[in-house]
Amino acid sequence: MPNVSSTFFLAPYSSLGYPKVVCFSALQGKASSIDSSPSQSPIPRLFSRGCKLVGCGSAVPSLQISNDDLAKIVDTNDEWISVRTGIRNRRVLSGRDRLTTLAVDAAQKALDMAKVDPDDVDLILLCSSTPEDLFGSAPQIQKHLGCKRNPLSYDITAACSGFVLGLISAACHIRGGGFQNVLVVGADGLSRFVDWTDRGSCILFGDAAAAVLVQACSGDEDGLFGFDLHSDGDGQRHLNATIKEDETNDAAESNGSVFNFPPRRHSYSCIHMNGKEVFRFAVRTVPQSIEAALQKAGLPASSIDWLLLHQANQRIIDAVADRLEIPSERVISNLANYGNTSAASIPLALDEAVRSGKIKAGHTVAAAGFGAGLTWGSAILRWG
C-alpha cells in the first residue's frame, strides 16, 4: 500500500506576528529502507523563507607536524602513511593555541566575507566534540566576537558528522524560528585525545576550526535542497573515546567509604578506532545517504558541481566518488595538508575551495559527514 506521511513545520510569521503552521503531506510509493526515518522525510518546498550560505572562514594552529616528524616518535614513515591515508601533514594545538581562539578567528572571517556585523548574529552553533569547557564553548565565541545582543549560543556534539548536523539545525532555526543570521562553527582538537604511541590512529588526526554564515533568504533563493541524517549506536564500539576512571585514583580518595562515595575522578580515554570497520561503514553508508538526499531534492547526480566529504581518508573519498560516478576533478580534498580535523574538516575544505576560486556562487555541492556515534549525514546545497 502507498505510504502517506505528514510533516508539520513553522512557516515565517504572519501579519499578526504569529508563526504559521503548515502541514506538508507526501504520498509515497512502496516503502523502502530509506523511507523509515523522519530525518529522511522530503523537505517541504512550500517555504516562503529559505536559507543560503553567504560567508566562510577558517583557522588552523601554527604547529605543523609532518609524516617525517611522526616517524621520530612511532614506527612509521611518510610512504606508509601517505599511501594508506593520503595524509602528509597535520596542524596540532600547542601551548600557543587555544581551540576557542581558532573558532573565533574562523567565525570572524566568515562574518567579514558575508559583510555581517557581529551584533546582527542571531545564533551561534559550535559543532565540536572537544570543547574547552565541559559545559560547552559556544558562548565564549559569542563573547569574543563582541555580540552585544547576547544571541543564543550552544554546542552540538556529533564528532565528524557535526558540521552537517549544525548546517541542518541552522536551516531549521531560520525556516521555522525566524532567525536571520546563524553562525555554524566546526572546531575540534582531537590531538588532545590521541594516543601518540599508536601508529594506527595518531597519524590520522589534526586540529582546526572553520565556520560558515547561514542567512535567511526568500524561498526561491533557498540554497539547501535536500538532506539525509542517521545514527547507529551499535557501531559505537568501532570508534569511541569513552569515559574511564583515572588511573591515579587510590583508596585514600574514597575517604574510606564502603559505598564508593564521593565518586572517583574520571576522564576521557584516548580515541579508539577499528579502522577497517569504519572504512566499510563509510563506503557503504555515505553514497546511500547522498543518493537519498539527491532524491529528496529532486536532482540527478549529474547536477553536482562538487563532492565535499568529511576529510577522513583519501581511500574513502575516492571510493565514494567512484560509487557516485563523480570524476576526481570535481572532488574537493585538502586531507594531505590537515589530516582528519573532525567537525572542522568540511567547512575548512569549503573555505579553501571558495577562497581559491574553485567553488563559485551558484555551484551545487554534495556534502557528507560520517564518524563516531556512529553518525552520518549529507546535504545538497548551493554556495552563495
Side-chain angles (χ1 to χ4, degrees), residues 199-247:
R199 76 167 188 168
S201 62
C202 75
I203 63 174
L204 300 173
F205 299 103
D207 306 326
V212 299
L213 185 74
V214 186
Q215 190 172 75
C217 62
S218 62
D220 57 0
E221 294 180 314
D222 188 30
L224 177 60
F225 303 132
F227 66 88
D228 181 75
L229 305 172
H230 298 272
S231 64
D232 177 13
D234 188 54
Q236 184 255 5
R237 66 188 187 276
H238 300 311
L239 180 56
N240 59 72
T242 56
I243 197 168
K244 65 174 184 177
E245 184 176 304
D246 282 357
E247 295 177 357

mmCIF file of all heavy atoms in Angstrom, residues 199-247:
data_model
loop_
_atom_site.group_PDB
_atom_site.id
_atom_site.type_symbol
_atom_site.label_atom_id
_atom_site.label_comp_id
_atom_site.label_asym_id
_atom_site.label_seq_id
_atom_site.Cartn_x
_atom_site.Cartn_y
_atom_site.Cartn_z
ATOM 1 N N ARG A 199 50.515 3.961 16.223
ATOM 2 C CA ARG A 199 50.735 4.431 14.857
ATOM 3 C C ARG A 199 49.503 4.258 13.975
ATOM 4 O O ARG A 199 49.393 4.887 12.922
ATOM 5 C CB ARG A 199 51.922 3.711 14.223
ATOM 6 C CG ARG A 199 51.651 2.282 13.784
ATOM 7 C CD ARG A 199 52.776 1.774 12.895
ATOM 8 N NE ARG A 199 52.468 0.476 12.300
ATOM 9 C CZ ARG A 199 53.168 -0.058 11.318
ATOM 10 N NH1 ARG A 199 54.208 0.577 10.822
ATOM 11 N NH2 ARG A 199 52.834 -1.231 10.825
ATOM 12 N N GLY A 200 48.558 3.426 14.390
ATOM 13 C CA GLY A 200 47.353 3.232 13.586
ATOM 14 C C GLY A 200 46.382 4.394 13.670
ATOM 15 O O GLY A 200 45.586 4.606 12.756
ATOM 16 N N SER A 201 46.438 5.176 14.762
ATOM 17 C CA SER A 201 45.496 6.283 14.918
ATOM 18 C C SER A 201 46.171 7.649 14.980
ATOM 19 O O SER A 201 45.604 8.639 14.496
ATOM 20 C CB SER A 201 44.641 6.080 16.171
ATOM 21 O OG SER A 201 45.455 6.072 17.335
ATOM 22 N N CYS A 202 47.374 7.741 15.540
ATOM 23 C CA CYS A 202 47.975 9.067 15.719
ATOM 24 C C CYS A 202 48.318 9.733 14.392
ATOM 25 O O CYS A 202 48.455 10.957 14.321
ATOM 26 C CB CYS A 202 49.203 8.982 16.619
ATOM 27 S SG CYS A 202 50.687 8.283 15.849
ATOM 28 N N ILE A 203 48.450 8.951 13.333
ATOM 29 C CA ILE A 203 48.798 9.503 12.019
ATOM 30 C C ILE A 203 47.628 10.224 11.358
ATOM 31 O O ILE A 203 47.817 10.964 10.393
ATOM 32 C CB ILE A 203 49.284 8.394 11.074
ATOM 33 C CG1 ILE A 203 48.159 7.375 10.822
ATOM 34 C CG2 ILE A 203 50.524 7.714 11.636
ATOM 35 C CD1 ILE A 203 48.496 6.320 9.797
ATOM 36 N N LEU A 204 46.415 10.023 11.878
ATOM 37 C CA LEU A 204 45.214 10.453 11.169
ATOM 38 C C LEU A 204 44.735 11.858 11.491
ATOM 39 O O LEU A 204 44.177 12.538 10.624
ATOM 40 C CB LEU A 204 44.059 9.484 11.463
ATOM 41 C CG LEU A 204 44.270 8.029 11.059
ATOM 42 C CD1 LEU A 204 43.113 7.179 11.563
ATOM 43 C CD2 LEU A 204 44.420 7.911 9.554
ATOM 44 N N PHE A 205 44.919 12.298 12.738
ATOM 45 C CA PHE A 205 44.160 13.445 13.214
ATOM 46 C C PHE A 205 44.953 14.742 13.275
ATOM 47 O O PHE A 205 46.152 14.762 13.542
ATOM 48 C CB PHE A 205 43.580 13.134 14.594
ATOM 49 C CG PHE A 205 42.647 11.957 14.582
ATOM 50 C CD1 PHE A 205 43.063 10.723 15.048
ATOM 51 C CD2 PHE A 205 41.365 12.078 14.074
ATOM 52 C CE1 PHE A 205 42.215 9.627 15.021
ATOM 53 C CE2 PHE A 205 40.509 10.995 14.044
ATOM 54 C CZ PHE A 205 40.930 9.763 14.510
ATOM 55 N N GLY A 206 44.236 15.838 13.043
ATOM 56 C CA GLY A 206 44.771 17.181 13.179
ATOM 57 C C GLY A 206 43.721 18.075 13.812
ATOM 58 O O GLY A 206 42.586 17.655 14.054
ATOM 59 N N ASP A 207 44.095 19.317 14.072
ATOM 60 C CA ASP A 207 43.207 20.269 14.741
ATOM 61 C C ASP A 207 42.912 21.450 13.817
ATOM 62 O O ASP A 207 43.778 21.876 13.040
ATOM 63 C CB ASP A 207 43.849 20.784 16.018
ATOM 64 C CG ASP A 207 44.295 19.661 16.954
ATOM 65 O OD1 ASP A 207 43.605 18.627 16.971
ATOM 66 O OD2 ASP A 207 45.311 19.839 17.653
ATOM 67 N N ALA A 208 41.719 22.002 13.928
ATOM 68 C CA ALA A 208 41.353 23.151 13.094
ATOM 69 C C ALA A 208 39.998 23.691 13.530
ATOM 70 O O ALA A 208 39.272 23.064 14.307
ATOM 71 C CB ALA A 208 41.306 22.767 11.609
ATOM 72 N N ALA A 209 39.665 24.854 13.004
ATOM 73 C CA ALA A 209 38.336 25.446 13.177
ATOM 74 C C ALA A 209 37.938 26.095 11.858
ATOM 75 O O ALA A 209 38.779 26.640 11.143
ATOM 76 C CB ALA A 209 38.336 26.481 14.297
ATOM 77 N N ALA A 210 36.663 26.023 11.544
ATOM 78 C CA ALA A 210 36.151 26.661 10.325
ATOM 79 C C ALA A 210 34.682 26.988 10.538
ATOM 80 O O ALA A 210 34.013 26.382 11.386
ATOM 81 C CB ALA A 210 36.336 25.758 9.107
ATOM 82 N N ALA A 211 34.179 27.949 9.794
ATOM 83 C CA ALA A 211 32.812 28.435 10.029
ATOM 84 C C ALA A 211 32.143 28.859 8.740
ATOM 85 O O ALA A 211 32.815 29.207 7.758
ATOM 86 C CB ALA A 211 32.842 29.617 11.010
ATOM 87 N N VAL A 212 30.822 28.836 8.755
ATOM 88 C CA VAL A 212 30.020 29.409 7.673
ATOM 89 C C VAL A 212 28.928 30.269 8.288
ATOM 90 O O VAL A 212 28.488 30.018 9.424
ATOM 91 C CB VAL A 212 29.378 28.335 6.761
ATOM 92 C CG1 VAL A 212 30.419 27.488 6.087
ATOM 93 C CG2 VAL A 212 28.392 27.478 7.537
ATOM 94 N N LEU A 213 28.498 31.274 7.549
ATOM 95 C CA LEU A 213 27.336 32.065 7.952
ATOM 96 C C LEU A 213 26.171 31.653 7.077
ATOM 97 O O LEU A 213 26.239 31.732 5.850
ATOM 98 C CB LEU A 213 27.582 33.564 7.811
ATOM 99 C CG LEU A 213 26.409 34.400 8.343
ATOM 100 C CD1 LEU A 213 26.374 34.386 9.865
ATOM 101 C CD2 LEU A 213 26.448 35.826 7.822
ATOM 102 N N VAL A 214 25.116 31.176 7.724
ATOM 103 C CA VAL A 214 23.888 30.795 7.029
ATOM 104 C C VAL A 214 22.887 31.929 7.231
ATOM 105 O O VAL A 214 22.619 32.331 8.367
ATOM 106 C CB VAL A 214 23.323 29.473 7.572
ATOM 107 C CG1 VAL A 214 22.124 29.023 6.731
ATOM 108 C CG2 VAL A 214 24.397 28.396 7.579
ATOM 109 N N GLN A 215 22.331 32.418 6.148
ATOM 110 C CA GLN A 215 21.493 33.616 6.196
ATOM 111 C C GLN A 215 20.116 33.349 5.606
ATOM 112 O O GLN A 215 19.968 32.606 4.636
ATOM 113 C CB GLN A 215 22.172 34.746 5.426
ATOM 114 C CG GLN A 215 21.535 36.113 5.578
ATOM 115 C CD GLN A 215 22.405 37.177 4.931
ATOM 116 O OE1 GLN A 215 22.465 37.302 3.707
ATOM 117 N NE2 GLN A 215 23.100 37.961 5.771
ATOM 118 N N ALA A 216 19.116 33.954 6.192
ATOM 119 C CA ALA A 216 17.754 33.820 5.683
ATOM 120 C C ALA A 216 17.627 34.495 4.324
ATOM 121 O O ALA A 216 18.303 35.483 4.029
ATOM 122 C CB ALA A 216 16.763 34.439 6.663
ATOM 123 N N CYS A 217 16.761 33.928 3.486
ATOM 124 C CA CYS A 217 16.501 34.496 2.169
ATOM 125 C C CYS A 217 15.083 34.122 1.760
ATOM 126 O O CYS A 217 14.386 33.401 2.472
ATOM 127 C CB CYS A 217 17.513 33.973 1.149
ATOM 128 S SG CYS A 217 17.461 32.180 0.906
ATOM 129 N N SER A 218 14.657 34.570 0.616
ATOM 130 C CA SER A 218 13.343 34.196 0.121
ATOM 131 C C SER A 218 13.342 32.736 -0.306
ATOM 132 O O SER A 218 14.396 32.161 -0.596
ATOM 133 C CB SER A 218 12.940 35.084 -1.061
ATOM 134 O OG SER A 218 13.849 34.925 -2.129
ATOM 135 N N GLY A 219 12.168 32.141 -0.355
ATOM 136 C CA GLY A 219 12.061 30.726 -0.689
ATOM 137 C C GLY A 219 12.647 30.370 -2.037
ATOM 138 O O GLY A 219 13.235 29.297 -2.206
ATOM 139 N N ASP A 220 12.523 31.259 -3.006
ATOM 140 C CA ASP A 220 13.028 30.930 -4.342
ATOM 141 C C ASP A 220 14.553 31.040 -4.429
ATOM 142 O O ASP A 220 15.153 30.631 -5.425
ATOM 143 C CB ASP A 220 12.375 31.808 -5.408
ATOM 144 C CG ASP A 220 12.559 33.300 -5.159
ATOM 145 O OD1 ASP A 220 13.208 33.658 -4.147
ATOM 146 O OD2 ASP A 220 12.059 34.102 -5.961
ATOM 147 N N GLU A 221 15.196 31.567 -3.380
ATOM 148 C CA GLU A 221 16.659 31.617 -3.338
ATOM 149 C C GLU A 221 17.230 30.540 -2.424
ATOM 150 O O GLU A 221 18.441 30.494 -2.212
ATOM 151 C CB GLU A 221 17.125 32.990 -2.821
ATOM 152 C CG GLU A 221 16.818 34.163 -3.726
ATOM 153 C CD GLU A 221 17.326 35.465 -3.120
ATOM 154 O OE1 GLU A 221 17.086 35.691 -1.911
ATOM 155 O OE2 GLU A 221 17.974 36.230 -3.840
ATOM 156 N N ASP A 222 16.366 29.690 -1.898
ATOM 157 C CA ASP A 222 16.793 28.688 -0.916
ATOM 158 C C ASP A 222 17.975 27.875 -1.434
ATOM 159 O O ASP A 222 17.952 27.362 -2.552
ATOM 160 C CB ASP A 222 15.625 27.760 -0.597
ATOM 161 C CG ASP A 222 15.922 26.821 0.558
ATOM 162 O OD1 ASP A 222 16.705 27.211 1.439
ATOM 163 O OD2 ASP A 222 15.388 25.701 0.565
ATOM 164 N N GLY A 223 19.012 27.751 -0.585
ATOM 165 C CA GLY A 223 20.218 27.059 -1.002
ATOM 166 C C GLY A 223 20.436 25.703 -0.371
ATOM 167 O O GLY A 223 21.498 25.100 -0.564
ATOM 168 N N LEU A 224 19.456 25.201 0.397
ATOM 169 C CA LEU A 224 19.545 23.847 0.939
ATOM 170 C C LEU A 224 18.463 23.016 0.269
ATOM 171 O O LEU A 224 17.272 23.153 0.569
ATOM 172 C CB LEU A 224 19.361 23.849 2.459
ATOM 173 C CG LEU A 224 19.362 22.476 3.125
ATOM 174 C CD1 LEU A 224 20.689 21.746 2.885
ATOM 175 C CD2 LEU A 224 19.094 22.597 4.624
ATOM 176 N N PHE A 225 18.869 22.135 -0.633
ATOM 177 C CA PHE A 225 17.919 21.429 -1.474
ATOM 178 C C PHE A 225 17.402 20.124 -0.870
ATOM 179 O O PHE A 225 16.282 19.711 -1.138
ATOM 180 C CB PHE A 225 18.557 21.125 -2.835
ATOM 181 C CG PHE A 225 19.047 22.339 -3.553
ATOM 182 C CD1 PHE A 225 20.323 22.366 -4.109
ATOM 183 C CD2 PHE A 225 18.249 23.473 -3.682
ATOM 184 C CE1 PHE A 225 20.791 23.489 -4.780
ATOM 185 C CE2 PHE A 225 18.707 24.595 -4.346
ATOM 186 C CZ PHE A 225 19.980 24.605 -4.901
ATOM 187 N N GLY A 226 18.235 19.452 -0.092
ATOM 188 C CA GLY A 226 17.831 18.170 0.487
ATOM 189 C C GLY A 226 18.867 17.703 1.491
ATOM 190 O O GLY A 226 20.028 18.117 1.431
ATOM 191 N N PHE A 227 18.431 16.856 2.425
ATOM 192 C CA PHE A 227 19.392 16.327 3.396
ATOM 193 C C PHE A 227 18.959 14.946 3.862
ATOM 194 O O PHE A 227 17.821 14.512 3.648
ATOM 195 C CB PHE A 227 19.555 17.267 4.599
ATOM 196 C CG PHE A 227 18.324 17.412 5.461
ATOM 197 C CD1 PHE A 227 18.072 16.545 6.515
ATOM 198 C CD2 PHE A 227 17.412 18.439 5.221
ATOM 199 C CE1 PHE A 227 16.947 16.677 7.310
ATOM 200 C CE2 PHE A 227 16.282 18.579 6.009
ATOM 201 C CZ PHE A 227 16.045 17.703 7.063
ATOM 202 N N ASP A 228 19.884 14.263 4.532
ATOM 203 C CA ASP A 228 19.652 12.897 4.992
ATOM 204 C C ASP A 228 20.551 12.671 6.208
ATOM 205 O O ASP A 228 21.769 12.882 6.119
ATOM 206 C CB ASP A 228 20.012 11.911 3.870
ATOM 207 C CG ASP A 228 19.781 10.468 4.270
ATOM 208 O OD1 ASP A 228 18.611 10.057 4.311
ATOM 209 O OD2 ASP A 228 20.776 9.758 4.529
ATOM 210 N N LEU A 229 19.968 12.266 7.348
ATOM 211 C CA LEU A 229 20.719 12.142 8.596
ATOM 212 C C LEU A 229 20.424 10.816 9.285
ATOM 213 O O LEU A 229 19.281 10.357 9.280
ATOM 214 C CB LEU A 229 20.357 13.284 9.556
ATOM 215 C CG LEU A 229 20.515 14.718 9.034
ATOM 216 C CD1 LEU A 229 19.927 15.701 10.037
ATOM 217 C CD2 LEU A 229 21.982 15.030 8.757
ATOM 218 N N HIS A 230 21.452 10.216 9.906
ATOM 219 C CA HIS A 230 21.272 8.917 10.571
ATOM 220 C C HIS A 230 22.238 8.759 11.741
ATOM 221 O O HIS A 230 23.260 9.437 11.830
ATOM 222 C CB HIS A 230 21.557 7.765 9.595
ATOM 223 C CG HIS A 230 20.649 7.718 8.422
ATOM 224 N ND1 HIS A 230 19.450 7.059 8.427
ATOM 225 C CD2 HIS A 230 20.783 8.261 7.187
ATOM 226 C CE1 HIS A 230 18.876 7.186 7.245
ATOM 227 N NE2 HIS A 230 19.668 7.912 6.471
ATOM 228 N N SER A 231 21.927 7.792 12.598
ATOM 229 C CA SER A 231 22.882 7.331 13.607
ATOM 230 C C SER A 231 22.639 5.856 13.884
ATOM 231 O O SER A 231 21.551 5.332 13.654
ATOM 232 C CB SER A 231 22.751 8.142 14.906
ATOM 233 O OG SER A 231 21.481 7.944 15.491
ATOM 234 N N ASP A 232 23.679 5.187 14.363
ATOM 235 C CA ASP A 232 23.618 3.768 14.695
ATOM 236 C C ASP A 232 24.497 3.517 15.910
ATOM 237 O O ASP A 232 25.714 3.359 15.787
ATOM 238 C CB ASP A 232 24.084 2.918 13.507
ATOM 239 C CG ASP A 232 24.115 1.424 13.821
ATOM 240 O OD1 ASP A 232 23.545 1.033 14.865
ATOM 241 O OD2 ASP A 232 24.712 0.662 13.038
ATOM 242 N N GLY A 233 23.877 3.521 17.095
ATOM 243 C CA GLY A 233 24.632 3.356 18.330
ATOM 244 C C GLY A 233 25.338 2.028 18.444
ATOM 245 O O GLY A 233 26.308 1.899 19.207
ATOM 246 N N ASP A 234 24.894 1.034 17.695
ATOM 247 C CA ASP A 234 25.549 -0.269 17.747
ATOM 248 C C ASP A 234 26.980 -0.190 17.233
ATOM 249 O O ASP A 234 27.835 -0.978 17.622
ATOM 250 C CB ASP A 234 24.749 -1.285 16.924
ATOM 251 C CG ASP A 234 25.266 -2.701 17.108
ATOM 252 O OD1 ASP A 234 25.356 -3.155 18.271
ATOM 253 O OD2 ASP A 234 25.606 -3.357 16.103
ATOM 254 N N GLY A 235 27.249 0.781 16.375
ATOM 255 C CA GLY A 235 28.588 0.919 15.813
ATOM 256 C C GLY A 235 29.555 1.679 16.703
ATOM 257 O O GLY A 235 30.723 1.857 16.336
ATOM 258 N N GLN A 236 29.091 2.115 17.872
ATOM 259 C CA GLN A 236 29.949 2.885 18.775
ATOM 260 C C GLN A 236 31.216 2.134 19.155
ATOM 261 O O GLN A 236 32.264 2.732 19.409
ATOM 262 C CB GLN A 236 29.155 3.254 20.038
ATOM 263 C CG GLN A 236 29.896 4.144 21.015
ATOM 264 C CD GLN A 236 30.378 3.390 22.245
ATOM 265 O OE1 GLN A 236 30.244 2.171 22.323
ATOM 266 N NE2 GLN A 236 30.916 4.111 23.206
ATOM 267 N N ARG A 237 31.136 0.815 19.152
ATOM 268 C CA ARG A 237 32.289 0.009 19.550
ATOM 269 C C ARG A 237 33.457 0.156 18.571
ATOM 270 O O ARG A 237 34.593 -0.148 18.923
ATOM 271 C CB ARG A 237 31.887 -1.467 19.663
ATOM 272 C CG ARG A 237 31.483 -2.122 18.350
ATOM 273 C CD ARG A 237 30.920 -3.519 18.596
ATOM 274 N NE ARG A 237 30.660 -4.250 17.369
ATOM 275 C CZ ARG A 237 29.553 -4.137 16.640
ATOM 276 N NH1 ARG A 237 28.611 -3.273 17.024
ATOM 277 N NH2 ARG A 237 29.392 -4.851 15.545
ATOM 278 N N HIS A 238 33.182 0.628 17.374
ATOM 279 C CA HIS A 238 34.238 0.748 16.371
ATOM 280 C C HIS A 238 34.984 2.080 16.438
ATOM 281 O O HIS A 238 36.087 2.192 15.903
ATOM 282 C CB HIS A 238 33.656 0.581 14.966
ATOM 283 C CG HIS A 238 32.998 -0.734 14.735
ATOM 284 N ND1 HIS A 238 33.595 -1.931 15.058
ATOM 285 C CD2 HIS A 238 31.766 -1.046 14.208
ATOM 286 C CE1 HIS A 238 32.784 -2.924 14.740
ATOM 287 N NE2 HIS A 238 31.677 -2.417 14.229
ATOM 288 N N LEU A 239 34.391 3.095 17.059
ATOM 289 C CA LEU A 239 35.011 4.414 17.113
ATOM 290 C C LEU A 239 34.489 5.156 18.328
ATOM 291 O O LEU A 239 33.318 5.527 18.380
ATOM 292 C CB LEU A 239 34.714 5.197 15.825
ATOM 293 C CG LEU A 239 35.283 6.609 15.700
ATOM 294 C CD1 LEU A 239 36.797 6.613 15.892
ATOM 295 C CD2 LEU A 239 34.910 7.211 14.353
ATOM 296 N N ASN A 240 35.357 5.368 19.322
ATOM 297 C CA ASN A 240 34.893 5.984 20.565
ATOM 298 C C ASN A 240 36.056 6.553 21.364
ATOM 299 O O ASN A 240 37.223 6.257 21.109
ATOM 300 C CB ASN A 240 34.121 4.970 21.412
ATOM 301 C CG ASN A 240 34.973 3.764 21.770
ATOM 302 O OD1 ASN A 240 35.889 3.849 22.593
ATOM 303 N ND2 ASN A 240 34.685 2.625 21.135
ATOM 304 N N ALA A 241 35.708 7.372 22.326
ATOM 305 C CA ALA A 241 36.645 7.862 23.347
ATOM 306 C C ALA A 241 35.819 7.918 24.627
ATOM 307 O O ALA A 241 35.271 8.955 24.990
ATOM 308 C CB ALA A 241 37.200 9.229 22.984
ATOM 309 N N THR A 242 35.705 6.801 25.291
ATOM 310 C CA THR A 242 34.776 6.647 26.408
ATOM 311 C C THR A 242 35.360 7.176 27.715
ATOM 312 O O THR A 242 36.576 7.346 27.862
ATOM 313 C CB THR A 242 34.398 5.171 26.598
ATOM 314 O OG1 THR A 242 35.600 4.403 26.770
ATOM 315 C CG2 THR A 242 33.658 4.650 25.371
ATOM 316 N N ILE A 243 34.478 7.421 28.678
ATOM 317 C CA ILE A 243 34.900 7.905 29.984
ATOM 318 C C ILE A 243 35.451 6.742 30.803
ATOM 319 O O ILE A 243 34.993 5.606 30.686
ATOM 320 C CB ILE A 243 33.714 8.585 30.711
ATOM 321 C CG1 ILE A 243 34.219 9.442 31.870
ATOM 322 C CG2 ILE A 243 32.680 7.570 31.163
ATOM 323 C CD1 ILE A 243 33.160 10.363 32.439
ATOM 324 N N LYS A 244 36.472 7.031 31.614
ATOM 325 C CA LYS A 244 37.086 5.982 32.427
ATOM 326 C C LYS A 244 37.573 6.583 33.737
ATOM 327 O O LYS A 244 37.787 7.800 33.854
ATOM 328 C CB LYS A 244 38.251 5.329 31.687
ATOM 329 C CG LYS A 244 39.416 6.272 31.427
ATOM 330 C CD LYS A 244 40.602 5.531 30.829
ATOM 331 C CE LYS A 244 41.807 6.474 30.670
ATOM 332 N NZ LYS A 244 42.997 5.765 30.157
ATOM 333 N N GLU A 245 37.748 5.736 34.711
ATOM 334 C CA GLU A 245 38.254 6.186 35.996
ATOM 335 C C GLU A 245 39.742 6.486 35.876
ATOM 336 O O GLU A 245 40.500 5.733 35.259
ATOM 337 C CB GLU A 245 38.023 5.089 37.040
ATOM 338 C CG GLU A 245 38.424 5.488 38.446
ATOM 339 C CD GLU A 245 38.075 4.406 39.452
ATOM 340 O OE1 GLU A 245 36.884 4.020 39.513
ATOM 341 O OE2 GLU A 245 38.991 3.936 40.147
ATOM 342 N N ASP A 246 40.166 7.615 36.443
ATOM 343 C CA ASP A 246 41.574 7.989 36.371
ATOM 344 C C ASP A 246 42.446 6.932 37.037
ATOM 345 O O ASP A 246 42.132 6.451 38.135
ATOM 346 C CB ASP A 246 41.802 9.339 37.056
ATOM 347 C CG ASP A 246 41.360 10.499 36.178
ATOM 348 O OD1 ASP A 246 40.936 10.248 35.042
ATOM 349 O OD2 ASP A 246 41.429 11.656 36.636
ATOM 350 N N GLU A 247 43.548 6.620 36.403
ATOM 351 C CA GLU A 247 44.453 5.610 36.948
ATOM 352 C C GLU A 247 45.149 6.085 38.216
ATOM 353 O O GLU A 247 45.650 5.286 39.001
ATOM 354 C CB GLU A 247 45.494 5.231 35.897
ATOM 355 C CG GLU A 247 44.886 4.547 34.667
ATOM 356 C CD GLU A 247 45.922 4.235 33.605
ATOM 357 O OE1 GLU A 247 47.093 4.611 33.826
ATOM 358 O OE2 GLU A 247 45.556 3.635 32.582
#
